[in-house]
mmCIF file of all heavy atoms in Angstrom:
data_model
loop_
_atom_site.group_PDB
_atom_site.id
_atom_site.type_symbol
_atom_site.label_atom_id
_atom_site.label_comp_id
_atom_site.label_asym_id
_atom_site.label_seq_id
_atom_site.Cartn_x
_atom_site.Cartn_y
_atom_site.Cartn_z
ATOM 1 N N GLY A 16 3.994 8.080 0.541
ATOM 2 C CA GLY A 16 3.958 6.768 -0.117
ATOM 3 C C GLY A 16 3.951 5.634 0.891
ATOM 4 O O GLY A 16 3.265 4.632 0.704
ATOM 5 N N ALA A 17 4.704 5.801 1.989
ATOM 6 C CA ALA A 17 4.698 4.782 3.043
ATOM 7 C C ALA A 17 3.325 4.696 3.693
ATOM 8 O O ALA A 17 2.844 3.600 3.995
ATOM 9 C CB ALA A 17 5.762 5.102 4.088
ATOM 10 N N LEU A 18 2.685 5.833 3.892
ATOM 11 C CA LEU A 18 1.334 5.845 4.459
ATOM 12 C C LEU A 18 0.344 5.147 3.527
ATOM 13 O O LEU A 18 -0.488 4.347 3.968
ATOM 14 C CB LEU A 18 0.903 7.283 4.719
ATOM 15 C CG LEU A 18 -0.444 7.487 5.371
ATOM 16 C CD1 LEU A 18 -0.433 6.941 6.796
ATOM 17 C CD2 LEU A 18 -0.814 8.952 5.364
ATOM 18 N N ILE A 19 0.462 5.425 2.234
ATOM 19 C CA ILE A 19 -0.384 4.741 1.249
ATOM 20 C C ILE A 19 -0.105 3.240 1.282
ATOM 21 O O ILE A 19 -1.025 2.423 1.220
ATOM 22 C CB ILE A 19 -0.141 5.311 -0.165
ATOM 23 C CG1 ILE A 19 -0.567 6.769 -0.225
ATOM 24 C CG2 ILE A 19 -0.860 4.496 -1.230
ATOM 25 C CD1 ILE A 19 -2.025 6.992 0.059
ATOM 26 N N GLY A 20 1.153 2.859 1.380
ATOM 27 C CA GLY A 20 1.514 1.440 1.446
ATOM 28 C C GLY A 20 0.940 0.760 2.677
ATOM 29 O O GLY A 20 0.443 -0.366 2.593
ATOM 30 N N MET A 21 1.009 1.432 3.829
ATOM 31 C CA MET A 21 0.448 0.836 5.048
ATOM 32 C C MET A 21 -1.048 0.614 4.912
ATOM 33 O O MET A 21 -1.567 -0.446 5.274
ATOM 34 C CB MET A 21 0.753 1.717 6.262
ATOM 35 C CG MET A 21 2.178 1.628 6.722
ATOM 36 S SD MET A 21 2.461 2.505 8.263
ATOM 37 C CE MET A 21 2.682 4.165 7.655
ATOM 38 N N ALA A 22 -1.740 1.609 4.374
ATOM 39 C CA ALA A 22 -3.181 1.468 4.183
ATOM 40 C C ALA A 22 -3.499 0.381 3.161
ATOM 41 O O ALA A 22 -4.413 -0.434 3.353
ATOM 42 C CB ALA A 22 -3.778 2.804 3.740
ATOM 43 N N TYR A 23 -2.724 0.348 2.082
ATOM 44 C CA TYR A 23 -2.950 -0.625 1.015
ATOM 45 C C TYR A 23 -2.774 -2.057 1.518
ATOM 46 O O TYR A 23 -3.621 -2.924 1.286
ATOM 47 C CB TYR A 23 -1.983 -0.341 -0.140
ATOM 48 C CG TYR A 23 -2.179 -1.232 -1.340
ATOM 49 C CD1 TYR A 23 -3.091 -0.894 -2.319
ATOM 50 C CD2 TYR A 23 -1.447 -2.410 -1.492
ATOM 51 C CE1 TYR A 23 -3.272 -1.705 -3.424
ATOM 52 C CE2 TYR A 23 -1.618 -3.215 -2.590
ATOM 53 C CZ TYR A 23 -2.535 -2.863 -3.557
ATOM 54 O OH TYR A 23 -2.723 -3.664 -4.641
ATOM 55 N N PHE A 24 -1.672 -2.306 2.238
ATOM 56 C CA PHE A 24 -1.406 -3.670 2.676
ATOM 57 C C PHE A 24 -2.268 -4.077 3.870
ATOM 58 O O PHE A 24 -2.563 -5.259 4.028
ATOM 59 C CB PHE A 24 0.083 -3.875 2.922
ATOM 60 C CG PHE A 24 0.852 -3.858 1.637
ATOM 61 C CD1 PHE A 24 1.668 -2.795 1.307
ATOM 62 C CD2 PHE A 24 0.716 -4.880 0.720
ATOM 63 C CE1 PHE A 24 2.346 -2.760 0.108
ATOM 64 C CE2 PHE A 24 1.381 -4.866 -0.487
ATOM 65 C CZ PHE A 24 2.201 -3.795 -0.796
ATOM 66 N N ALA A 25 -2.702 -3.122 4.677
ATOM 67 C CA ALA A 25 -3.676 -3.441 5.730
ATOM 68 C C ALA A 25 -5.009 -3.830 5.091
ATOM 69 O O ALA A 25 -5.651 -4.803 5.513
ATOM 70 C CB ALA A 25 -3.852 -2.259 6.675
ATOM 71 N N ALA A 26 -5.403 -3.092 4.059
ATOM 72 C CA ALA A 26 -6.637 -3.432 3.353
ATOM 73 C C ALA A 26 -6.495 -4.753 2.606
ATOM 74 O O ALA A 26 -7.459 -5.519 2.493
ATOM 75 C CB ALA A 26 -7.020 -2.318 2.386
ATOM 76 N N LEU A 27 -5.298 -5.048 2.106
ATOM 77 C CA LEU A 27 -5.065 -6.323 1.439
ATOM 78 C C LEU A 27 -5.230 -7.483 2.416
ATOM 79 O O LEU A 27 -5.856 -8.496 2.085
ATOM 80 C CB LEU A 27 -3.676 -6.355 0.810
ATOM 81 C CG LEU A 27 -3.266 -7.658 0.130
ATOM 82 C CD1 LEU A 27 -4.186 -7.972 -1.040
ATOM 83 C CD2 LEU A 27 -1.827 -7.577 -0.336
ATOM 84 N N ALA A 28 -4.697 -7.334 3.623
ATOM 85 C CA ALA A 28 -4.852 -8.380 4.634
ATOM 86 C C ALA A 28 -6.329 -8.566 4.979
ATOM 87 O O ALA A 28 -6.810 -9.697 5.125
ATOM 88 C CB ALA A 28 -4.056 -8.035 5.883
ATOM 89 N N TRP A 29 -7.037 -7.466 5.100
ATOM 90 C CA TRP A 29 -8.477 -7.536 5.388
ATOM 91 C C TRP A 29 -9.198 -8.201 4.219
ATOM 92 O O TRP A 29 -10.091 -9.023 4.412
ATOM 93 C CB TRP A 29 -8.994 -6.128 5.628
ATOM 94 C CG TRP A 29 -10.412 -6.016 6.077
ATOM 95 C CD1 TRP A 29 -11.206 -6.996 6.605
ATOM 96 C CD2 TRP A 29 -11.212 -4.836 6.054
ATOM 97 N NE1 TRP A 29 -12.432 -6.497 6.908
ATOM 98 C CE2 TRP A 29 -12.458 -5.171 6.573
ATOM 99 C CE3 TRP A 29 -10.975 -3.543 5.643
ATOM 100 C CZ2 TRP A 29 -13.489 -4.242 6.693
ATOM 101 C CZ3 TRP A 29 -11.998 -2.616 5.764
ATOM 102 C CH2 TRP A 29 -13.230 -2.967 6.280
ATOM 103 N N ASN A 30 -8.788 -7.863 2.994
ATOM 104 C CA ASN A 30 -9.383 -8.440 1.802
ATOM 105 C C ASN A 30 -9.177 -9.951 1.738
ATOM 106 O O ASN A 30 -10.090 -10.710 1.385
ATOM 107 C CB ASN A 30 -8.779 -7.790 0.579
ATOM 108 C CG ASN A 30 -9.724 -7.629 -0.579
ATOM 109 O OD1 ASN A 30 -9.321 -7.159 -1.614
ATOM 110 N ND2 ASN A 30 -10.972 -7.981 -0.428
ATOM 111 N N VAL A 31 -7.992 -10.403 2.101
ATOM 112 C CA VAL A 31 -7.696 -11.840 2.109
ATOM 113 C C VAL A 31 -8.609 -12.552 3.112
ATOM 114 O O VAL A 31 -9.156 -13.616 2.818
ATOM 115 C CB VAL A 31 -6.210 -12.096 2.424
ATOM 116 C CG1 VAL A 31 -5.948 -13.562 2.742
ATOM 117 C CG2 VAL A 31 -5.356 -11.650 1.257
#
Side-chain angles (χ1 to χ4, degrees):
L18 183 66
I19 296 299
M21 285 187 277
Y23 184 87
F24 290 108
L27 177 62
W29 186 17
N30 214 182
V31 167

